[in-house]
Amino acid sequence: MITKPKGTEDILPGEIREWVKIEEFIRRVASLYNFKEIRTPIFESGELFHRNQNDSSDMVTKETYDFFDKGQRQLTLRPEGTAPVVRALIEHKLYIDNPVSKLFYINQTFRYERPQKGRQRQFHQFGIEAYGSNDPLLDVECIALACTILKGLGLKNVRVRLNTLGDETSRNNYRNALIQYFEQYEDNLCTDCKERLKKNPLRILDCKVDSKKEYFANAPKISDYLTDESKKHFEKVIEGLSALGIEYEADERLVRGLDYYTYTVFEIEYNSTALGSQNVICGGGRYNNLIKELGGPDLPAVGLAFGMERLILAVREEGIKIVGEDKLHLYLIALGNEAHTLASKLINQYRLQGISSDIDYLEGSLKSQFKKADRNKAIFTAILGEDEVKNGTINMKNNVTNMQETIQIENVQQYIVSYLNHHSHCKGCTKNTEE
Ligand code: HAM
């Protein structure tokens, strides 16, 4: 048997409505904040992600899916959404018509990581990216959007962690202080951190292994190296969050796993046993240099991304029901050739009117067709036999009330619609009362 590749998941029919509902909700929230959807290719030119020899992030150095196509082009499956959207912004000059462009995406993302719960090799991200303004209130808006999503889904057990990496001067000064400090302990650093000490010492702060070591407590703090301008930016973010009533925890150890961040960085954790160590459901921050680095204009930017699988695991863990039962409006049991042919014509008419319906294409016995109606959670089961075809009638059974009635075939549609309009079972179909 050929099985799915390691680190990938099938999203089965039983789960898909939950995904679709959450995606619909996310799209609605994004549009409330005036973000517009963008879709970029699943693979990009390899150099988009491998542009910088000094990149220290695991994602870029160890986790990308790189390959050559038949034309010997080096391509990479998208390991995140930010660089591709920046590439599209520059390529289509989207910043010309909209000096402040606000874009979002929901798409597959690929990282060659060690799979575990909440960590896959193919996963989905919902991301937002806002370009063209360095206003700290835009940082606040991104965090607020994330919180609106979490609140709207009913997730309570969340924690926003916030930090600033400051501007270039702040980071350079801090970087030098970190190098000086950690050089004393170089022999004690893990292999990865020895490498980080040369390339990006800030990432040492993020190390799961070394951060538990004693000397860590006295490592220099970014707050002592911030320029006045960087301090002011961060203070405004904090004021803005407080004004919106968004709770956060300042965490000077938060540096994020990607190298492009400047100024504000944040992560949102969902604390639970379900996600274990993979409890960061959302991460983001400012990246004011990336557009310029990728050959575009000197535009500031801020954004974030949610891991959709982690978000959905959290929703399930909290017992939140996003969708009701997947019910079929009508299962039409047909007995005999003539009835089967007529039934196939009728269900097509009903479907065009928004009534979900089905028949048995295996033409099983009456008993087995009833079973199939049950399995499909049909609200109505109707029987069309030889006599009914002759008389132009149909026997309707309401599976909710257990009432049975024989009615004229031409009245079926009206019969079902008027029932659905008066009851809450019409979930997701002729009338959407689900939310
Ligand atoms: P990131 O922190 O690498 O940031 O990923 C964002 C989110 O994607 C994580 O918080 C996590 O929920 C989810 N995620 C990451 N790796 C996996 C995985 N292997 N399996 C399942 N979920 C995963 C970025 O990707 C940045 N591009 C975010 C951003 C946008 N920053 C600015 N704009």
Side-chain angles (χ1 to χ4, degrees):
M1 185 180 56
I2 301 171
T3 56
K4 60 187 161 55
K6 188 173 175 185
T8 66
E9 287 296 338
D10 297 309
I11 303 174
L12 299 174
E15 303 166 89
I16 207 80
R17 288 174 69 237
E18 189 181 30
W19 273 83
V20 170
K21 275 278 160 193
I22 292 179
E23 285 169 6
E24 273 172 17
F25 172 68
I26 282 174
R27 285 197 164 86
R28 207 162 349 115
V29 173
S31 116
L32 288 174
Y33 284 76
N34 199 23
F35 281 79
K36 311 281 185 220
E37 184 159 0
I38 183 166
R39 296 186 193 185
T40 59
I42 259 180
F43 54 82
E44 294 276 353
S45 192
E47 63 190 324
L48 180 63
F49 308 106
H50 300 293
R51 58 191 176 272
N52 185 348
Q53 294 295 318
N54 283 328
D55 201 307
S56 69
S57 70
D58 287 350
M59 187 200 82
V60 171
T61 55
K62 301 181 190 160
E63 295 168 0
T64 51
Y65 280 86
D66 303 307
F67 61 100
F68 285 95
D69 72 2
K70 289 184 179 149
Q72 292 312 304
R73 297 171 194 90
Q74 204 201 335
L75 302 169
T76 298
L77 292 185
R78 149 179 78 213
E80 58 121 23
T82 306
V85 176
V86 168
R87 197 255 322 126
L89 175 95
I90 299 170
E91 195 165 336
H92 303 283
K93 295 192 170 57
L94 298 179
Y95 47 83
I96 289 185
D97 286 339
N98 268 320
V100 177
S101 316
K102 301 207 288 186
L103 303 171
F104 82 91
Y105 48 89
I106 303 180
N107 56 30
Q108 288 103 328
T109 314
F110 305 85
R111 293 185 193 175
Y112 191 80
E113 292 195 79
R114 202 165 38 78
Q116 64 183 80
K117 194 154 192 190
R119 187 165 71 195
Q120 294 172 202
R121 290 183 175 172
Q122 178 186 294
F123 58 102
H124 296 76
Q125 281 189 339
F126 156 62
I128 59 170
E129 314 291 350
Y131 306 106
S133 166
N134 196 34
D135 186 346
L137 290 182
L138 193 54
D139 311 16
V140 173
E141 177 169 294
C142 291
I143 299 172
L145 181 150
C147 292
T148 301
I149 287 175
L150 298 171
K151 196 165 172 212
L153 290 173
L155 283 174
K156 293 192 188 80
N157 220 353
V158 292
R159 185 162 79 113
V160 179
R161 287 164 59 228
L162 184 72
N163 194 17
T164 180
L165 303 178
D167 57 12
E168 214 150 334
T169 312
S170 315
R171 268 194 328 283
N172 282 342
N173 291 342
Y174 186 45
R175 194 188 136 92
N176 291 338
L178 284 175
I179 294 177
Q180 219 175 19
Y181 181 78
F182 281 118
E183 264 176 355
Q184 310 167 63
Y185 303 102
E186 191 167 354
D187 292 345
N188 298 329
L189 292 174
C190 73
T191 329
D192 281 344
C193 281
K194 281 190 179 122
E195 192 61 25
R196 288 173 184 143
L197 188 59
K198 289 185 217 128
K199 287 186 170 178
N200 185 356
L202 267 77
R203 292 283 326 285
I204 299 177
L205 300 174
D206 204 24
C207 178
K208 303 276 176 292
V209 184
D210 285 341
S211 59
K212 296 193 178 70
K213 295 178 181 160
E214 251 172 45
Y215 55 83
F216 239 75
N218 296 324
K221 295 203 159 97
I222 181 78
S223 51
D224 294 328
Y225 296 85
L226 292 176
T227 57
D228 286 348
E229 199 264 320
S230 301
K231 263 190 207 148
K232 222 186 247 165
H233 189 104
F234 196 49
E235 279 161 15
K236 284 207 164 161
V237 171
I238 287 172
E239 274 168 33
L241 290 174
S242 305
L244 299 190
I246 294 173
E247 285 177 23
Y248 66 88
E249 282 173 33
D251 181 349
E252 293 216 34
R253 286 277 167 80
L254 179 67
V255 288
R256 305 273 301 126
L258 296 159
D259 281 0
Y260 49 59
Y261 290 106
T262 56
Y263 293 90
T264 320
V265 285
F266 53 89
E267 286 186 350
I268 303 181
E269 284 177 6
Y270 176 73
N271 293 312
S272 78
T273 42
L275 284 170
S277 59
Q278 306 307 311
N279 64 348
V280 179
I281 53 178
C282 172
R286 271 211 166 265
Y287 49 99
N288 285 354
N289 301 328
L290 187 61
I291 302 175
K292 196 173 42 179
E293 239 177 62
L294 288 174
D298 188 2
L299 288 178
V302 57
L304 59 81
F306 274 90
M308 291 294 290
E309 280 77 3
R310 293 188 192 176
L311 186 64
I312 288 175
L313 280 171
V315 163
R316 288 182 191 157
E317 160 94 347
E318 216 149 297
I320 298 164
K321 268 203 126 355
I322 299 289
V323 284
E325 261 191 322
D326 192 4
K327 288 185 185 254
L328 189 71
H329 293 144
L330 172 70
Y331 197 86
L332 187 46
I333 294 178
L335 300 166
N337 276 345
E338 226 182 315
H340 187 65
T341 309
L342 178 59
S344 125
K345 188 176 134 196
L346 289 174
I347 54 166
N348 200 47
Q349 288 170 10
Y350 303 153
R351 288 162 175 171
L352 293 175
Q353 299 306 317
I355 296 170
S356 61
S357 30
D358 212 350
I359 55 172
D360 183 12
Y361 287 104
L362 296 175
E363 296 190 59
S365 65
L366 181 64
K367 194 172 158 196
S368 90
Q369 292 200 46
F370 263 114
K371 268 198 192 149
K372 283 171 195 158
D374 258 8
R375 209 175 302 138
N376 280 286
K377 303 191 180 73
I379 298 172
F380 288 97
T381 308
I383 305 175
L384 195 61
E386 279 176 21
D387 287 350
E388 282 84 0
V389 174
K390 248 188 248 148
N391 303 335
T393 58
I394 201 160
N395 183 274
M396 300 288 295
K397 178 171 181 252
N398 183 322
N399 295 314
V400 181
T401 61
N402 275 329
M403 291 258 295
Q404 282 202 45
E405 220 177 325
T406 300
I407 63 169
Q408 294 295 310
I409 290 180
E410 65 261 29
N411 294 336
V412 169
Q413 200 175 295
Q414 187 49 40
Y415 187 83
I416 296 177
V417 168
S418 68
Y419 177 82
L420 294 179
N421 282 342
H422 290 97
H423 296 81
S424 54
H425 311 287
C426 46
K427 283 172 177 162
C429 297
T430 49
K431 190 176 159 204
N432 193 346
T433 58
E434 208 156 3
E435 272 105 34

